[in-house]
Amino acid sequence: ILKSGSHKAIPIIGSIAAGPGKFAVEEFNGTIADIRELQKEEGRFALKIQGDSMKDAGILDGDLAIIQTQVPVSNGQIGAVLIDDEATLKRVYYEKDRVRLQPENEFYSPIYVERDSFNSRVIGRYIALVRKA
């Protein structure tokens, strides 16, 4: 196990809503010691999940979502997305003129974003989860 100061540790840079949007503020909250399956790469970081809109995908309040920047979010994949000044984690579906951000909890409604501006709003693709203790 690597020490948290290691260059291979994944930084935790804030939190992200899995529910209503959460104001996006980048703040350093420590690191996750490198896990063999999650080798640290450029643009990889963790966000603490707040809320339960992704619970049916197994992403729970308090978990850490590992996000990879600078990679596309394909249809049906989960992405971290900015909506105005709020960040949210949702499954992404590309429709004709818009993008649907679909929660994985029947009690939440989808969020729709104009397709033209969507790529500038993608923070990164969800690639893994570290379960809360």
Side-chain angles (χ1 to χ4, degrees), residues 1-11 31-41 44 66 130:
I1 295 178
L2 300 171
K3 295 185 190 242
S4 61
S6 167
H7 70 282
K8 292 206 176 222
I10 296 172
T31 60
I32 298 172
D34 202 5
I35 300 167
R36 190 175 323 167
E37 295 81 14
L38 295 175
Q39 296 296 317
K40 169 70 172 115
E41 291 185 20
R44 187 168 289 179
I66 310 300
V130 176

PDB file of all heavy atoms in Angstrom, residues 1-11 31-41 44 66 130:
ATOM      1  N   ILE A   1       0.857  -1.184   0.000  1.00  0.00           N
ATOM      2  CA  ILE A   1       0.000   0.000   0.000  1.00  0.00           C
ATOM      3  C   ILE A   1       0.889   1.229   0.000  1.00  0.00           C
ATOM      4  O   ILE A   1       1.841   1.307   0.762  1.00  0.00           O
ATOM      5  CB  ILE A   1      -0.932   0.009   1.230  1.00  0.00           C
ATOM      6  CG1 ILE A   1      -1.883  -1.175   1.126  1.00  0.00           C
ATOM      7  CG2 ILE A   1      -1.675   1.311   1.340  1.00  0.00           C
ATOM      8  CD1 ILE A   1      -2.823  -1.300   2.300  1.00  0.00           C
ATOM      9  N   LEU A   2       0.555   2.184  -0.831  1.00  0.00           N
ATOM     10  CA  LEU A   2       1.344   3.396  -0.933  1.00  0.00           C
ATOM     11  C   LEU A   2       0.874   4.426   0.066  1.00  0.00           C
ATOM     12  O   LEU A   2      -0.302   4.476   0.419  1.00  0.00           O
ATOM     13  CB  LEU A   2       1.222   3.954  -2.354  1.00  0.00           C
ATOM     14  CG  LEU A   2       1.710   3.022  -3.444  1.00  0.00           C
ATOM     15  CD1 LEU A   2       1.322   3.589  -4.796  1.00  0.00           C
ATOM     16  CD2 LEU A   2       3.199   2.836  -3.354  1.00  0.00           C
ATOM     17  N   LYS A   3       1.764   5.262   0.508  1.00  0.00           N
ATOM     18  CA  LYS A   3       1.398   6.339   1.424  1.00  0.00           C
ATOM     19  C   LYS A   3       0.609   7.378   0.648  1.00  0.00           C
ATOM     20  O   LYS A   3       0.784   7.542  -0.555  1.00  0.00           O
ATOM     21  CB  LYS A   3       2.647   6.952   2.031  1.00  0.00           C
ATOM     22  CG  LYS A   3       3.376   5.958   2.895  1.00  0.00           C
ATOM     23  CD  LYS A   3       4.527   6.629   3.581  1.00  0.00           C
ATOM     24  CE  LYS A   3       5.372   5.567   4.219  1.00  0.00           C
ATOM     25  NZ  LYS A   3       5.523   5.568   5.570  1.00  0.00           N
ATOM     26  N   SER A   4      -0.251   8.123   1.343  1.00  0.00           N
ATOM     27  CA  SER A   4      -1.102   9.094   0.668  1.00  0.00           C
ATOM     28  C   SER A   4      -0.298  10.195  -0.014  1.00  0.00           C
ATOM     29  O   SER A   4      -0.785  10.835  -0.912  1.00  0.00           O
ATOM     30  CB  SER A   4      -2.115   9.692   1.637  1.00  0.00           C
ATOM     31  OG  SER A   4      -1.444  10.358   2.684  1.00  0.00           O
ATOM     32  N   GLY A   5       0.931  10.416   0.367  1.00  0.00           N
ATOM     33  CA  GLY A   5       1.749  11.422  -0.284  1.00  0.00           C
ATOM     34  C   GLY A   5       2.390  10.925  -1.567  1.00  0.00           C
ATOM     35  O   GLY A   5       3.051  11.658  -2.268  1.00  0.00           O
ATOM     36  N   SER A   6       2.199   9.673  -1.888  1.00  0.00           N
ATOM     37  CA  SER A   6       2.808   9.073  -3.068  1.00  0.00           C
ATOM     38  C   SER A   6       2.257   9.696  -4.339  1.00  0.00           C
ATOM     39  O   SER A   6       1.108  10.091  -4.415  1.00  0.00           O
ATOM     40  CB  SER A   6       2.510   7.576  -3.083  1.00  0.00           C
ATOM     41  OG  SER A   6       2.810   7.025  -4.335  1.00  0.00           O
ATOM     42  N   HIS A   7       3.103   9.733  -5.373  1.00  0.00           N
ATOM     43  CA  HIS A   7       2.653  10.251  -6.665  1.00  0.00           C
ATOM     44  C   HIS A   7       1.621   9.336  -7.307  1.00  0.00           C
ATOM     45  O   HIS A   7       0.988   9.706  -8.272  1.00  0.00           O
ATOM     46  CB  HIS A   7       3.853  10.451  -7.599  1.00  0.00           C
ATOM     47  CG  HIS A   7       4.477   9.174  -8.055  1.00  0.00           C
ATOM     48  ND1 HIS A   7       5.309   8.428  -7.271  1.00  0.00           N
ATOM     49  CD2 HIS A   7       4.351   8.504  -9.225  1.00  0.00           C
ATOM     50  CE1 HIS A   7       5.689   7.349  -7.939  1.00  0.00           C
ATOM     51  NE2 HIS A   7       5.130   7.371  -9.122  1.00  0.00           N
ATOM     52  N   LYS A   8       1.443   8.136  -6.784  1.00  0.00           N
ATOM     53  CA  LYS A   8       0.470   7.215  -7.353  1.00  0.00           C
ATOM     54  C   LYS A   8      -0.879   7.286  -6.650  1.00  0.00           C
ATOM     55  O   LYS A   8      -1.795   6.559  -6.995  1.00  0.00           O
ATOM     56  CB  LYS A   8       1.000   5.781  -7.309  1.00  0.00           C
ATOM     57  CG  LYS A   8       2.173   5.596  -8.233  1.00  0.00           C
ATOM     58  CD  LYS A   8       2.277   4.179  -8.644  1.00  0.00           C
ATOM     59  CE  LYS A   8       3.389   4.026  -9.647  1.00  0.00           C
ATOM     60  NZ  LYS A   8       3.067   3.184 -10.721  1.00  0.00           N
ATOM     61  N   ALA A   9      -1.007   8.119  -5.639  1.00  0.00           N
ATOM     62  CA  ALA A   9      -2.276   8.245  -4.936  1.00  0.00           C
ATOM     63  C   ALA A   9      -3.250   9.061  -5.781  1.00  0.00           C
ATOM     64  O   ALA A   9      -2.864   9.998  -6.470  1.00  0.00           O
ATOM     65  CB  ALA A   9      -2.075   8.906  -3.582  1.00  0.00           C
ATOM     66  N   ILE A  10      -4.518   8.697  -5.736  1.00  0.00           N
ATOM     67  CA  ILE A  10      -5.568   9.400  -6.484  1.00  0.00           C
ATOM     68  C   ILE A  10      -6.121  10.494  -5.581  1.00  0.00           C
ATOM     69  O   ILE A  10      -6.596  10.206  -4.481  1.00  0.00           O
ATOM     70  CB  ILE A  10      -6.674   8.423  -6.908  1.00  0.00           C
ATOM     71  CG1 ILE A  10      -6.100   7.389  -7.882  1.00  0.00           C
ATOM     72  CG2 ILE A  10      -7.846   9.173  -7.531  1.00  0.00           C
ATOM     73  CD1 ILE A  10      -7.056   6.268  -8.221  1.00  0.00           C
ATOM     74  N   PRO A  11      -6.076  11.768  -6.021  1.00  0.00           N
ATOM     75  CA  PRO A  11      -6.577  12.840  -5.160  1.00  0.00           C
ATOM     76  C   PRO A  11      -8.101  12.839  -5.067  1.00  0.00           C
ATOM     77  O   PRO A  11      -8.796  12.542  -6.033  1.00  0.00           O
ATOM     78  CB  PRO A  11      -6.081  14.109  -5.851  1.00  0.00           C
ATOM     79  CG  PRO A  11      -5.949  13.728  -7.287  1.00  0.00           C
ATOM     80  CD  PRO A  11      -5.564  12.264  -7.287  1.00  0.00           C
ATOM     81  N   THR A  31      -6.244  11.845  -0.314  1.00  0.00           N
ATOM     82  CA  THR A  31      -6.003  10.964  -1.451  1.00  0.00           C
ATOM     83  C   THR A  31      -6.500   9.559  -1.130  1.00  0.00           C
ATOM     84  O   THR A  31      -6.766   9.227   0.023  1.00  0.00           O
ATOM     85  CB  THR A  31      -4.501  10.877  -1.797  1.00  0.00           C
ATOM     86  OG1 THR A  31      -3.806  10.358  -0.661  1.00  0.00           O
ATOM     87  CG2 THR A  31      -3.926  12.212  -2.193  1.00  0.00           C
ATOM     88  N   ILE A  32      -6.605   8.763  -2.177  1.00  0.00           N
ATOM     89  CA  ILE A  32      -6.873   7.338  -2.022  1.00  0.00           C
ATOM     90  C   ILE A  32      -5.563   6.651  -2.378  1.00  0.00           C
ATOM     91  O   ILE A  32      -5.029   6.862  -3.471  1.00  0.00           O
ATOM     92  CB  ILE A  32      -7.966   6.866  -3.007  1.00  0.00           C
ATOM     93  CG1 ILE A  32      -9.272   7.582  -2.727  1.00  0.00           C
ATOM     94  CG2 ILE A  32      -8.131   5.350  -2.935  1.00  0.00           C
ATOM     95  CD1 ILE A  32     -10.326   7.305  -3.775  1.00  0.00           C
ATOM     96  N   ALA A  33      -5.041   5.875  -1.452  1.00  0.00           N
ATOM     97  CA  ALA A  33      -3.808   5.143  -1.755  1.00  0.00           C
ATOM     98  C   ALA A  33      -4.075   4.268  -2.971  1.00  0.00           C
ATOM     99  O   ALA A  33      -5.155   3.701  -3.125  1.00  0.00           O
ATOM    100  CB  ALA A  33      -3.378   4.306  -0.557  1.00  0.00           C
ATOM    101  N   ASP A  34      -3.096   4.166  -3.821  1.00  0.00           N
ATOM    102  CA  ASP A  34      -3.262   3.453  -5.090  1.00  0.00           C
ATOM    103  C   ASP A  34      -3.749   2.021  -4.871  1.00  0.00           C
ATOM    104  O   ASP A  34      -3.264   1.301  -4.021  1.00  0.00           O
ATOM    105  CB  ASP A  34      -1.936   3.447  -5.837  1.00  0.00           C
ATOM    106  CG  ASP A  34      -2.126   3.219  -7.323  1.00  0.00           C
ATOM    107  OD1 ASP A  34      -3.263   3.163  -7.788  1.00  0.00           O
ATOM    108  OD2 ASP A  34      -1.118   3.096  -8.005  1.00  0.00           O
ATOM    109  N   ILE A  35      -4.721   1.649  -5.657  1.00  0.00           N
ATOM    110  CA  ILE A  35      -5.269   0.303  -5.679  1.00  0.00           C
ATOM    111  C   ILE A  35      -4.825  -0.287  -7.012  1.00  0.00           C
ATOM    112  O   ILE A  35      -4.932   0.383  -8.042  1.00  0.00           O
ATOM    113  CB  ILE A  35      -6.810   0.362  -5.577  1.00  0.00           C
ATOM    114  CG1 ILE A  35      -7.213   1.041  -4.269  1.00  0.00           C
ATOM    115  CG2 ILE A  35      -7.421  -1.024  -5.707  1.00  0.00           C
ATOM    116  CD1 ILE A  35      -8.673   1.429  -4.204  1.00  0.00           C
ATOM    117  N   ARG A  36      -4.336  -1.484  -7.014  1.00  0.00           N
ATOM    118  CA  ARG A  36      -3.744  -2.054  -8.229  1.00  0.00           C
ATOM    119  C   ARG A  36      -4.630  -1.850  -9.456  1.00  0.00           C
ATOM    120  O   ARG A  36      -4.163  -1.500 -10.518  1.00  0.00           O
ATOM    121  CB  ARG A  36      -3.469  -3.544  -8.023  1.00  0.00           C
ATOM    122  CG  ARG A  36      -2.643  -4.125  -9.154  1.00  0.00           C
ATOM    123  CD  ARG A  36      -2.257  -5.550  -8.914  1.00  0.00           C
ATOM    124  NE  ARG A  36      -1.967  -5.775  -7.515  1.00  0.00           N
ATOM    125  CZ  ARG A  36      -1.833  -6.960  -6.966  1.00  0.00           C
ATOM    126  NH1 ARG A  36      -1.951  -8.027  -7.694  1.00  0.00           N
ATOM    127  NH2 ARG A  36      -1.583  -7.099  -5.690  1.00  0.00           N
ATOM    128  N   GLU A  37      -5.931  -2.051  -9.320  1.00  0.00           N
ATOM    129  CA  GLU A  37      -6.845  -1.924 -10.461  1.00  0.00           C
ATOM    130  C   GLU A  37      -7.080  -0.466 -10.856  1.00  0.00           C
ATOM    131  O   GLU A  37      -7.649  -0.195 -11.894  1.00  0.00           O
ATOM    132  CB  GLU A  37      -8.194  -2.580 -10.146  1.00  0.00           C
ATOM    133  CG  GLU A  37      -8.116  -4.081  -9.954  1.00  0.00           C
ATOM    134  CD  GLU A  37      -7.633  -4.487  -8.567  1.00  0.00           C
ATOM    135  OE1 GLU A  37      -7.602  -3.654  -7.660  1.00  0.00           O
ATOM    136  OE2 GLU A  37      -7.256  -5.659  -8.413  1.00  0.00           O
ATOM    137  N   LEU A  38      -6.683   0.468  -9.997  1.00  0.00           N
ATOM    138  CA  LEU A  38      -6.919   1.892 -10.257  1.00  0.00           C
ATOM    139  C   LEU A  38      -5.603   2.641 -10.327  1.00  0.00           C
ATOM    140  O   LEU A  38      -5.375   3.582  -9.593  1.00  0.00           O
ATOM    141  CB  LEU A  38      -7.780   2.501  -9.139  1.00  0.00           C
ATOM    142  CG  LEU A  38      -9.188   1.974  -9.007  1.00  0.00           C
ATOM    143  CD1 LEU A  38      -9.863   2.582  -7.794  1.00  0.00           C
ATOM    144  CD2 LEU A  38      -9.986   2.279 -10.256  1.00  0.00           C
ATOM    145  N   GLN A  39      -4.718   2.212 -11.193  1.00  0.00           N
ATOM    146  CA  GLN A  39      -3.436   2.888 -11.316  1.00  0.00           C
ATOM    147  C   GLN A  39      -3.666   4.368 -11.591  1.00  0.00           C
ATOM    148  O   GLN A  39      -4.485   4.732 -12.421  1.00  0.00           O
ATOM    149  CB  GLN A  39      -2.611   2.266 -12.449  1.00  0.00           C
ATOM    150  CG  GLN A  39      -2.224   0.826 -12.206  1.00  0.00           C
ATOM    151  CD  GLN A  39      -1.305   0.668 -10.996  1.00  0.00           C
ATOM    152  OE1 GLN A  39      -0.385   1.436 -10.805  1.00  0.00           O
ATOM    153  NE2 GLN A  39      -1.572  -0.326 -10.178  1.00  0.00           N
ATOM    154  N   LYS A  40      -2.952   5.200 -10.873  1.00  0.00           N
ATOM    155  CA  LYS A  40      -3.065   6.644 -11.051  1.00  0.00           C
ATOM    156  C   LYS A  40      -2.639   7.011 -12.460  1.00  0.00           C
ATOM    157  O   LYS A  40      -1.607   6.584 -12.935  1.00  0.00           O
ATOM    158  CB  LYS A  40      -2.183   7.359 -10.010  1.00  0.00           C
ATOM    159  CG  LYS A  40      -1.997   8.851 -10.241  1.00  0.00           C
ATOM    160  CD  LYS A  40      -3.254   9.618  -9.979  1.00  0.00           C
ATOM    161  CE  LYS A  40      -2.984  11.111 -10.024  1.00  0.00           C
ATOM    162  NZ  LYS A  40      -3.626  11.813 -11.073  1.00  0.00           N
ATOM    163  N   GLU A  41      -3.474   7.771 -13.114  1.00  0.00           N
ATOM    164  CA  GLU A  41      -3.162   8.273 -14.450  1.00  0.00           C
ATOM    165  C   GLU A  41      -3.434   9.760 -14.458  1.00  0.00           C
ATOM    166  O   GLU A  41      -4.184  10.272 -13.626  1.00  0.00           O
ATOM    167  CB  GLU A  41      -4.043   7.592 -15.501  1.00  0.00           C
ATOM    168  CG  GLU A  41      -3.716   6.133 -15.702  1.00  0.00           C
ATOM    169  CD  GLU A  41      -4.521   5.526 -16.832  1.00  0.00           C
ATOM    170  OE1 GLU A  41      -5.027   6.267 -17.693  1.00  0.00           O
ATOM    171  OE2 GLU A  41      -4.641   4.297 -16.856  1.00  0.00           O
ATOM    172  N   ARG A  44      -6.978  11.714 -13.410  1.00  0.00           N
ATOM    173  CA  ARG A  44      -7.841  10.826 -12.624  1.00  0.00           C
ATOM    174  C   ARG A  44      -7.954  11.370 -11.203  1.00  0.00           C
ATOM    175  O   ARG A  44      -6.968  11.741 -10.591  1.00  0.00           O
ATOM    176  CB  ARG A  44      -7.250   9.427 -12.603  1.00  0.00           C
ATOM    177  CG  ARG A  44      -8.176   8.401 -11.960  1.00  0.00           C
ATOM    178  CD  ARG A  44      -7.690   7.002 -12.208  1.00  0.00           C
ATOM    179  NE  ARG A  44      -7.890   6.665 -13.618  1.00  0.00           N
ATOM    180  CZ  ARG A  44      -7.555   5.523 -14.168  1.00  0.00           C
ATOM    181  NH1 ARG A  44      -6.979   4.580 -13.453  1.00  0.00           N
ATOM    182  NH2 ARG A  44      -7.779   5.284 -15.447  1.00  0.00           N
ATOM    183  N   ILE A  66     -14.482   7.357  -8.797  1.00  0.00           N
ATOM    184  CA  ILE A  66     -13.238   7.654  -9.502  1.00  0.00           C
ATOM    185  C   ILE A  66     -13.613   8.158 -10.889  1.00  0.00           C
ATOM    186  O   ILE A  66     -14.341   7.489 -11.632  1.00  0.00           O
ATOM    187  CB  ILE A  66     -12.316   6.420  -9.611  1.00  0.00           C
ATOM    188  CG1 ILE A  66     -12.125   5.753  -8.246  1.00  0.00           C
ATOM    189  CG2 ILE A  66     -10.992   6.806 -10.256  1.00  0.00           C
ATOM    190  CD1 ILE A  66     -11.499   6.619  -7.186  1.00  0.00           C
ATOM    191  N   VAL A 130     -14.991   3.459  -4.941  1.00  0.00           N
ATOM    192  CA  VAL A 130     -14.400   3.006  -3.693  1.00  0.00           C
ATOM    193  C   VAL A 130     -15.503   3.117  -2.656  1.00  0.00           C
ATOM    194  O   VAL A 130     -16.026   4.219  -2.414  1.00  0.00           O
ATOM    195  CB  VAL A 130     -13.168   3.864  -3.304  1.00  0.00           C
ATOM    196  CG1 VAL A 130     -12.631   3.438  -1.951  1.00  0.00           C
ATOM    197  CG2 VAL A 130     -12.094   3.761  -4.374  1.00  0.00           C
TER     198      VAL A 130
END
